[in-house]
């Protein structure tokens, strides 16, 4: 089964745990996920199977959206409520309007230092593995972008916020930084991922639903990869999928999905000044000039 599932990841599962269950359900080895979710978090987890796994890296190129609840006044070892409390601080009095002003400061491009409890590798070892051994290492700040922050709940010491952000953003760290800006400390109490690129929470399905009838929930990659599309002529399709950079008049700069004249997904391509070059070929298109 070559396709894509919009899986609702339950709490208590790592993303890899969920993939392991999917492998058993589908009785196949080639299964992967796009966009890791913390074990305590729930929500959208794109799962690609078979030949579609070659598109995993493009599955989460678009914006991500979360609903996060933070508990102010305590700081934990992991950045979420399941960690050990390592610091406490009183929560100053502030209004919802004050919180709105603070959130405005976090919008736009910025640098974020990844947490120790993350899957980033340094020296061949994942950070969370080092953290479990009590080690802490220096981490380089990464570029992220916060597109929107909306207050959904205000009941101190808890606040609930909708976050729209770029990939690579750690919501736990964002919550800790917001707490500091409010004059206290904080930790993440609950996190639901509501959107990843073209995948939305309302369209997600549980492991139990998929186990009951996998074919009812599998989707074609073309339906969910959030990239522009470029329909090629037969000759262009043959040349580009053969690895030959080809001029396509009117093609706009950037990455997009290249489709055959029959609207079949052929490749992920990059376009620079109307020159289309294949980045990843999924299917070779036959030479239309041969009988």
């Amino acid at each position: 089964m070559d396709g894509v599932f919009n899986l609702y990841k339950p709490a208590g599962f790592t993303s890899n745990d969920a993939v392991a269950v999917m492998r058993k359900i589908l009785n196949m080895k080639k299964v992967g996920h796009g966009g890791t979710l913390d074990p305590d978090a729930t929500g959208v987890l794109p799962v690609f199977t078979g030949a579609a796994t070659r598109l995993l890296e493009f599955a989460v190129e678009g914006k991500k959206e979360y609903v996060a609840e933070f508990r102010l006044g305590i700081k934990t070892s992991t950045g979420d409520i399941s960690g050990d409390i390592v610091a406490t601080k009183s929560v100053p009095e502030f209004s919802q309007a004050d919180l709105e002003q603070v959130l405005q400061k976090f919008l736009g491009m910025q640098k974020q230092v990844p947490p120790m409890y993350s899957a980033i590798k340094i020296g061949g070892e994942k950070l969370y593995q080092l953290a479990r051994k009590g080690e802490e290492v220096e981490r380089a700040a990464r570029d992220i972008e916060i597109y929107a922050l909306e207050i959904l709940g205000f009941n101190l010491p808890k606040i609930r916020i909708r976050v729209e952000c770029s990939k690579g953003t750690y919501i736990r760290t964002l919550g800790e930084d917001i707490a500091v800006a409010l004059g206290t400390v904080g930790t993440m109490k609950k996190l639901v991922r509501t959107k990843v690129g073209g995948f939305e929470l309302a369209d997600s399905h549980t492991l139990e639903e998929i186990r009951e009838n996998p074919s009812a929930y599998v989707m074609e990659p073309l339906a969910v990869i959030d990239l522009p599309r470029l329909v090629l002529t037969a000759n262009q399709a043959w040349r580009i999928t053969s690895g030959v950079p080809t001029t396509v008049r009117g093609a706009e700069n950037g990455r997009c999905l290249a489709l055959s004249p029959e609207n079949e997904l052929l490749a992920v391509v990059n376009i620079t000044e109307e020159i289309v070059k294949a980045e990843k070929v999924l299917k070779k298109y036959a030479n239309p000039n041969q009988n």
Side-chain angles (χ1 to χ4, degrees), residues 113-182:
V113 177
M116 277 301 299
Y117 276 86
S118 63
I120 295 171
K121 284 187 176 181
I122 291 184
E125 197 164 5
K126 292 179 179 178
L127 285 177
Y128 70 78
Q129 294 172 328
L130 296 173
R132 287 171 181 169
K133 293 188 289 187
E135 300 178 29
E136 182 162 352
V137 297
E138 188 173 344
R139 288 97 67 200
R142 297 184 166 196
D143 291 322
I144 64 165
E145 186 170 2
I146 306 297
Y147 305 107
L149 290 169
E150 178 187 2
I151 302 169
L152 299 179
F154 185 79
N155 184 22
L156 296 180
K158 294 183 291 185
I159 57 175
R160 192 160 64 96
I161 299 171
R162 182 183 70 86
V163 183
E164 192 176 327
C165 59
S166 64
K167 76 180 224 181
T169 303
Y170 285 90
I171 307 301
R172 284 175 287 141
T173 301
L174 176 64
E176 290 178 330
D177 292 342
I178 289 171
V180 171
L182 290 167

Side-chain angles (χ1 to χ4, degrees), residues 131-270:
R132 287 171 181 169
K133 293 188 289 187
E135 300 178 29
E136 182 162 352
V137 297
E138 188 173 344
R139 288 97 67 200
R142 297 184 166 196
D143 291 322
I144 64 165
E145 186 170 2
I146 306 297
Y147 305 107
L149 290 169
E150 178 187 2
I151 302 169
L152 299 179
F154 185 79
N155 184 22
L156 296 180
K158 294 183 291 185
I159 57 175
R160 192 160 64 96
I161 299 171
R162 182 183 70 86
V163 183
E164 192 176 327
C165 59
S166 64
K167 76 180 224 181
T169 303
Y170 285 90
I171 307 301
R172 284 175 287 141
T173 301
L174 176 64
E176 290 178 330
D177 292 342
I178 289 171
V180 171
L182 290 167
T184 183
V185 293
T187 195
M188 189 172 70
K189 190 171 187 293
K190 186 177 181 181
L191 183 68
V192 180
R193 185 158 66 190
T194 54
K195 186 175 181 180
V196 183
F199 298 81
E200 298 196 10
L201 184 64
D203 303 319
S204 65
H205 302 282
T206 65
L207 288 167
E208 290 74 20
E209 287 175 321
I210 295 171
R211 181 182 287 111
E212 189 70 24
N213 188 6
S215 61
Y217 303 110
V218 67
M219 299 175 288
E220 292 290 333
L222 195 56
V224 292
I225 300 297
D226 192 20
L227 287 173
R229 303 176 185 185
L230 178 67
V231 179
L232 306 171
T233 65
N235 199 53
Q236 291 168 343
W238 166 60
R239 286 171 55 83
I240 291 168
T241 60
S242 297
V244 181
T246 301
T247 299
V248 177
R249 298 300 180 194
E252 297 184 3
N253 288 351
R255 175 185 283 157
C256 72
L257 300 177
L259 309 183
S260 72
E262 299 80 25
N263 282 311
E264 183 180 16
L265 179 58
L266 299 177
V268 178
V269 299
N270 276 300

Side-chain angles (χ1 to χ4, degrees), residues 240 243-246 268-272 275-280:
I240 291 168
V244 181
T246 301
V268 178
V269 299
N270 276 300
I271 306 169
T272 305
I275 302 297
V276 180
K277 185 177 181 180
E279 181 176 343
K280 180 168 288 189

